[in-house]
């Protein structure tokens, strides 16, 4: 009997075939896990192997999770090469995107960012043309190889096993059903990863310490898969000690009394019929403040003039190079990312969009019959803003799809600030009622190349960064020009109007050499001012967090406060800057937690209880704490 004939007489061909597929999946999972982990270090294999040696158990567990994903796919689809193509293609795209984000922002891909796949055209626009071409060529090669292997595997199968396995024959269906149930059940159990009794959590805990781990560190220590699972399943906040209905009633009563005291000295109802415009300017900053950067001319002279005349200072941004929606969350709700679990990297996408209604400046102004409008010259689905703005109780959301003014500048793909301001002016003029407009601009969003004819030079940055930085400088120069025209229009309006303007974060255009020459605080400070077409007292705010914008605005206009804004008013006197890596006391000095005053600690403890009550708790404070006088 010949060798080929012996092969055709295998007693258990389905078992052998299944074991070979599992072995192939194991090898594939090892390779893909190394690839994903390597994307955390710019594909530095030496650093990746060092991480694996330091944390071997998380590495092995990550392979197990990928193996379960592979088993689920092959059981569901029934085709080895189609399943392999999906897993390999997805892993390559994720590794590529993760590496790009690390290069741009020094952060890994977080779970909620995977929904950005629906914005794939926008995501591709942020890459250079050759990278996009390379990415598509890579995917095409993978698909072609898989098609060829699938075609020839049928011939090999017939020769080796003596048959061509069908996806739908009885034994194959039974094997697939068992694999699907087994892998699906284990993968579903990972949704309970935060439970200390979870099987995978127990295994990770042999080598991992998760408590208070920064999400970036969890990726770098325990691998891409481990970091992703931990971030995806994290709680919003842990319940503070003493949280109960009676405690929250006592806190409400405490700050109702404080509000009454403050309101005895204030004359006006909240804002008293003043139009309000929040302008969160995309990536707007003052590069002249950075050590190591020298510009040929001032890119924001008009902004500087406004800051010299009106209440102003700097906003302490939660993000660097990104995180726009988180800064927006703080400004509109008065709730700080400081108290939220670090794995919750986007409140908008991870919990706020699910809320039916949520207390905010918007809902507060609606108590005073304000028309509330959000304007954002981009896609309404980005950061789930449509659902979030409904939860915050905006009357209207004008995205780029509804805007009348959509002009851009030079070769930029984004709607200009000038157009966004004109849209805002149209809405102010069209509404007879007092109006609150929250404008989130888009002009200076990355990328920063091939956009403008640059007129401002820069020194101090490496030659290969100059064009990118100069393009950014030209963009904020255009923003500065548009701001001048906007304020001139408001000066001529009869209706009282107030503008709170701030940059959401610095861009990630500055190389590591520049970042290292500046403090953490400096790299998170952006220009802030409060303009009005009526008299305002001049104030120097130093650096404050966005959670204080509303109470500062109420203070400037001598407006009465709700109990919640009474707390923020007093808390700002003790701790005016409140972010994960930066604390600033009431004297504008950077401090650490141990240096907080006794009053600051008291306010922060109450504030944390209120924040938990709103985002994760029972909502005991919603009915009274946010009620205006």
């Amino acid at each position: 009997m010949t060798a080929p004939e012996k092969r055709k007489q295998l007693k258990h061909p389905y078992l052998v075939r299944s074991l070979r597929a599992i072995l192939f999946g194991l090898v594939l999972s090892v390779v893909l896990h190394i690839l994903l982990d390597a994307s955390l270090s710019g594909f530095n294999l030496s650093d990746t192997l060092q991480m694996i040696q330091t944390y071997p158990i998380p590495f092995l567990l990550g392979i197990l999770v990928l193996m379960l994903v592979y088993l689920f796919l092959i059981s569901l689809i029934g085709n080895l090469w189609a399943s392999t193509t999906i897993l390999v293609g997805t892993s390559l795209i994720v590794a590529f995107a993760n590496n790009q984000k690390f290069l741009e922002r020094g952060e890994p891909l977080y779970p909620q960012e995977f929904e950005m796949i629906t914005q794939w055209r926008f995501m591709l626009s942020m890459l250079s043309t050759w990278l996009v071409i390379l990415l598509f060529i890579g995917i095409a090669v993978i698909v072609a190889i898989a098609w060829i292997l699938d075609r020839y595997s049928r011939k090999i199968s017939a020769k080796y096993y003596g048959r061509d396995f069908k996806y739908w024959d009885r034994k194959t269906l039974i094997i697939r059903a068992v694999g699907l149930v087994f892998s699906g059940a284990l993968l579903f159990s990972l949704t309970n990863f935060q439970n200390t009794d979870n099987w995978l959590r127990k295994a990770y805990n042999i080598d991992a310490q998760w408590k208070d781990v920064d999400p970036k560190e969890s990726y770098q220590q325990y691998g891409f898969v481990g970091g992703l699972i931990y971030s995806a399943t994290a709680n919003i906040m842990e319940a503070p000690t003493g949280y109960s209905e009676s405690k929250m009633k006592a806190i409400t009563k405490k700050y109702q009394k404080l509000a009454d005291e403050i309101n005895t000295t204030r004359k006006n109802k909240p804002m008293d019929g003043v139009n309000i415009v929040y302008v969160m300017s995309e990536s707007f900053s003052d590069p002249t403040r950075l050590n190591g950067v020298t510009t040929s001319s001032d890119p924001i002279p008009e902004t500087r003039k406004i800051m010299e005349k009106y209440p102003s200072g700097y906003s302490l941004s939660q993000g660097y190079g990104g995180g726009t929606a988180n800064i927006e969350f703080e400004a509109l709700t008065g709730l700080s990312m400081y108290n939220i679990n670090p794995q919750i990297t986007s409140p908008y996408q991870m919990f706020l969009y699910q809320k039916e209604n949520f207390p905010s400046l918007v809902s507060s102004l609606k108590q005073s019959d304000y028309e509330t409008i959000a304007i954002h010259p981009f896609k309404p689905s980005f950061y789930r803003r449509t659902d979030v703005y409904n939860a915050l109780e905006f009357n209207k959301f004008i995205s780029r799809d509804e805007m009348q003014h959509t002009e851009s500048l030079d070769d930029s793909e984004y709607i200009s600030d000038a157009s966004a301001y004109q849209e805002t002016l149209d809405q102010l003029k069209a509404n007879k009622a007092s109006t609150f407009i929250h404008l989130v601009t888009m002009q200076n969003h990355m990328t920063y190349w091939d956009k403008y004819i640059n007129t401002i030079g820069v020194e101090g940055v490496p030659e290969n960064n100059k064009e990118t930085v100069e393009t950014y400088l030209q963009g904020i120069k255009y923003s500065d020009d548009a701001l001048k025209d906007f304020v001139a229009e408001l000066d001529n309006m009869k209706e009282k109007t107030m503008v709170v303007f701030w940059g959401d974060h610095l861009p990630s255009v500055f190389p590591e050499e520049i970042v290292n020459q500046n403090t953490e605080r400096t790299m998170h400070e952006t220009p802030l001012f409060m303009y009005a077409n009526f008299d305002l007292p001049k104030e120097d705010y130093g650096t404050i967090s966005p959670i204080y914008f509303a109470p500062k605005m109420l203070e400037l206009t001598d407006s009465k406060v709700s109990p919640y804004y009474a707390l923020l008013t007093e808390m700002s006197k003790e701790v005016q800057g409140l972010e994960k890596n930066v604390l600033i006391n009431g004297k504008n000095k950077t401090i650490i937690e141990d240096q907080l005053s006794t009053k600051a600690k008291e306010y922060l403890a109450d504030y944390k209880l209120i924040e938990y009550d709103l985002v994760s708790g029972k909502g005991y404070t919603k009915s009274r704490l946010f009620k205006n006088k």
Side-chain angles (χ1 to χ4, degrees):
M1 187 174 287
T2 64
E5 288 174 335
K6 287 181 180 179
R7 289 179 177 174
K8 292 179 182 179
Q9 294 179 5
L10 286 172
K11 291 183 178 180
H12 304 289
Y14 286 90
L15 177 61
V16 173
R17 181 172 179 263
S18 297
L19 290 175
R20 284 178 176 270
I22 290 173
L23 180 60
F24 174 76
L26 179 60
V27 174
L28 185 67
S29 297
V30 172
V31 173
L32 294 180
H33 197 289
I34 292 173
L35 172 72
L36 290 168
D37 284 356
S39 71
L40 296 166
S41 59
F43 298 109
N44 186 313
L45 191 58
S46 177
D47 289 349
T48 304
L49 292 176
Q50 180 62 46
M51 181 177 71
I52 293 170
Q53 290 173 4
T54 307
Y55 298 99
I57 292 177
F59 175 70
L60 294 174
L61 293 172
I63 293 171
L64 175 60
V65 172
L66 287 177
M67 184 66 191
L68 288 173
V69 174
Y70 165 80
L71 182 59
F72 181 83
L73 285 172
I74 196 171
S75 299
L76 180 66
I77 298 171
N79 183 288
L80 173 70
W81 298 112
S83 304
T84 300
T85 300
I86 292 172
L87 185 58
V88 172
T90 302
S91 298
L92 284 174
I93 292 171
V94 169
F96 175 78
N98 187 59
N99 182 60
Q100 288 297 304
K101 190 182 177 193
F102 246 103
L103 290 175
E104 291 291 339
R105 291 178 53 184
E107 292 180 342
L109 281 180
Y110 295 127
Q112 74 280 357
E113 291 172 323
F114 283 83
E115 70 180 40
M116 296 293 188
I117 192 64
T118 60
Q119 314 289 343
W120 62 271
R121 287 189 180 88
F122 170 65
M123 303 308 292
L124 289 177
S125 71
M126 293 192 290
L127 303 175
S128 62
T129 303
W130 75 268
L131 278 177
V132 174
I133 293 172
L134 188 63
L135 181 62
F136 278 106
I137 289 175
I139 294 172
V141 169
I142 292 169
V143 172
I145 292 173
W147 181 81
I148 293 170
L149 289 173
D150 181 59
R151 185 175 180 182
Y152 283 95
S153 67
R154 295 178 183 276
K155 295 180 180 180
I156 295 171
S157 179
K159 181 178 179 181
Y160 187 85
Y161 298 107
R163 68 189 69 203
D164 181 13
F165 294 92
K166 304 293 184 183
Y167 307 147
W168 54 86
D169 69 41
R170 184 171 62 86
K171 288 185 179 180
T172 299
L173 286 175
I174 290 173
I175 294 171
R176 287 174 59 190
V178 171
L180 194 65
V181 171
F182 174 76
S183 59
L186 289 179
L187 288 172
F188 181 76
S189 72
L190 301 188
T191 60
N192 194 36
F193 185 79
Q194 294 299 326
N195 190 321
T196 53
D197 291 329
N198 181 271
W199 67 274
L200 189 66
R201 178 64 178 267
K202 284 182 176 180
Y204 264 103
N205 285 350
I206 297 172
D207 212 6
Q209 300 293 325
W210 298 103
K211 187 176 181 182
D212 296 329
V213 174
D214 181 89
K216 176 182 173 180
E217 292 179 6
S218 67
Y219 279 77
Q220 292 178 316
Q221 292 175 358
Y222 311 135
F224 183 88
V225 174
L228 188 71
I229 294 171
Y230 185 61
S231 293
T233 58
N235 297 320
I236 303 171
M237 285 180 67
E238 305 301 330
T241 303
Y243 177 73
S244 65
E245 183 175 8
S246 60
K247 178 66 174 178
M248 300 317 295
K249 284 183 177 178
I251 286 178
T252 301
K253 186 176 180 180
K254 175 181 178 179
Y255 291 104
Q256 179 64 68
K257 182 179 179 182
L258 179 61
D260 290 341
E261 292 174 3
I262 293 173
N263 290 337
T264 57
T265 64
R266 297 195 180 181
K267 298 180 295 184
N268 301 321
K269 294 179 180 179
M271 298 312 297
D272 201 22
V274 176
N275 290 329
I276 306 164
V277 180
Y278 265 26
V279 178
M280 186 169 72
S281 186
E282 172 63 41
S283 297
F284 191 88
S285 70
D286 183 358
T288 66
R289 300 181 73 236
L290 297 181
N291 293 329
V293 176
T294 303
T295 61
S296 61
S297 62
D298 186 357
I300 56 168
E302 300 303 327
T303 304
R304 215 175 300 284
K305 290 176 185 177
I306 298 171
M307 292 177 69
E308 290 171 357
K309 184 177 180 181
Y310 294 94
S312 63
Y314 294 91
S315 171
L316 182 62
S317 176
Q318 182 271 337
Y320 171 72
T324 296
N326 295 352
I327 293 95
E328 184 179 7
F329 167 79
E330 291 192 335
L332 292 176
T333 66
L335 298 176
S336 176
M337 296 292 293
Y338 180 81
N339 289 323
I340 290 177
N341 190 312
Q343 277 68 42
I344 304 300
T345 53
S346 177
Y348 273 20
Q349 294 168 283
M350 298 179 81
F351 68 84
L352 193 55
Y353 78 96
Q354 298 172 317
K355 303 285 187 180
E356 185 176 346
N357 55 69
F358 196 84
S360 66
L361 174 63
V362 187
S363 58
S364 176
L365 290 171
K366 287 189 75 171
Q367 295 181 48
S368 301
D369 299 320
Y370 269 72
E371 176 74 11
T372 56
I373 303 169
I375 301 176
H376 181 45
F378 199 61
K379 299 176 182 180
S381 58
F382 216 55
Y383 287 116
R384 296 182 182 252
R385 278 194 172 94
T386 299
D387 294 329
V388 168
Y389 287 161
N390 283 335
L392 296 176
E393 299 189 43
F394 278 100
N395 296 126
K396 186 193 301 184
F397 175 25
I398 301 173
S399 71
R400 71 176 188 185
D401 299 333
E402 295 81 33
M403 290 180 65
Q404 301 301 309
H405 304 277
T406 58
E407 295 79 11
S408 59
L409 294 168
D410 297 347
D411 293 326
S412 173
E413 67 270 38
Y414 301 123
I415 293 174
S416 70
D417 284 3
S419 295
Y421 286 142
Q422 191 57 56
E423 196 78 28
T424 301
L425 289 167
D426 287 354
Q427 291 298 319
L428 288 173
K429 294 172 183 177
N431 286 293
K432 294 182 180 179
S434 298
T435 305
F436 169 61
I437 295 179
H438 172 59
L439 169 63
V440 181
T441 72
M442 197 67 186
Q443 176 185 294
N444 294 315
H445 198 282
M446 65 182 305
T447 57
Y448 305 105
W449 61 73
D450 298 332
K451 280 187 176 182
Y452 312 122
I453 299 172
N454 299 332
T455 62
I456 302 178
V458 65
E459 296 295 334
V461 300
E463 193 65 34
N464 60 342
N465 292 103
K466 276 192 174 185
E467 183 180 354
T468 302
V469 175
E470 288 173 356
T471 299
Y472 168 70
L473 294 175
Q474 187 63 45
I476 60 173
K477 174 66 172 68
Y478 283 143
S479 294
D480 190 67
D481 293 339
L483 182 62
K484 176 185 177 181
D485 295 338
F486 180 54
V487 168
E489 287 284 341
L490 294 176
D491 280 338
N492 295 322
M493 285 186 65
K494 293 181 180 179
E495 296 84 358
K496 286 186 176 181
T497 302
M498 187 171 181
V499 174
V500 179
F501 174 99
W502 76 100
D504 58 352
H505 54 73
L506 275 80
S508 56
V509 298
F510 300 105
E512 190 174 352
E513 297 94 314
I514 298 299
V515 174
N516 291 339
Q517 292 181 56
N518 292 273
T519 65
E520 180 88 8
R521 172 171 166 174
T522 302
M523 297 308 296
H524 287 259
E525 289 176 318
T526 63
L528 160 72
F529 65 77
M530 298 189 183
Y531 153 89
N533 59 5
F534 54 90
D535 290 337
L536 287 180
K538 177 69 175 81
E539 297 281 352
D540 181 0
Y541 290 134
T543 300
I544 63 174
S545 286
I547 63 173
Y548 297 125
F549 293 169
K552 294 295 184 185
M553 183 174 63
L554 293 168
E555 187 175 20
L556 286 172
T557 56
D558 203 23
S559 297
K560 297 182 185 296
V561 294
S562 65
Y564 179 63
Y565 286 133
L567 164 61
L568 290 181
T569 299
E570 294 304 303
M571 193 168 83
S572 69
K573 298 174 183 177
E574 301 294 329
V575 52
Q576 63 187 50
L578 184 67
E579 297 300 345
K580 293 289 186 188
N581 298 317
V582 180
L583 280 176
I584 302 173
N585 66 13
K587 296 181 180 179
N588 201 37
K589 301 295 183 183
T590 305
I591 59 171
I592 59 175
E593 281 192 0
D594 290 345
Q595 297 173 315
L596 287 167
S597 67
T598 302
K599 278 188 176 181
K601 291 178 180 178
E602 176 189 340
Y603 289 139
L604 286 173
D606 291 344
Y607 179 65
K608 186 173 184 178
L609 281 162
I610 292 168
E611 187 159 4
Y612 175 80
D613 184 53
L614 295 174
V615 302
S616 294
K618 301 294 185 180
Y620 299 125
T621 59
K622 283 177 67 174
S623 60
R624 291 188 58 193
L625 201 61
F626 297 85
K627 191 172 183 180
N628 294 334
K629 272 291 186 178

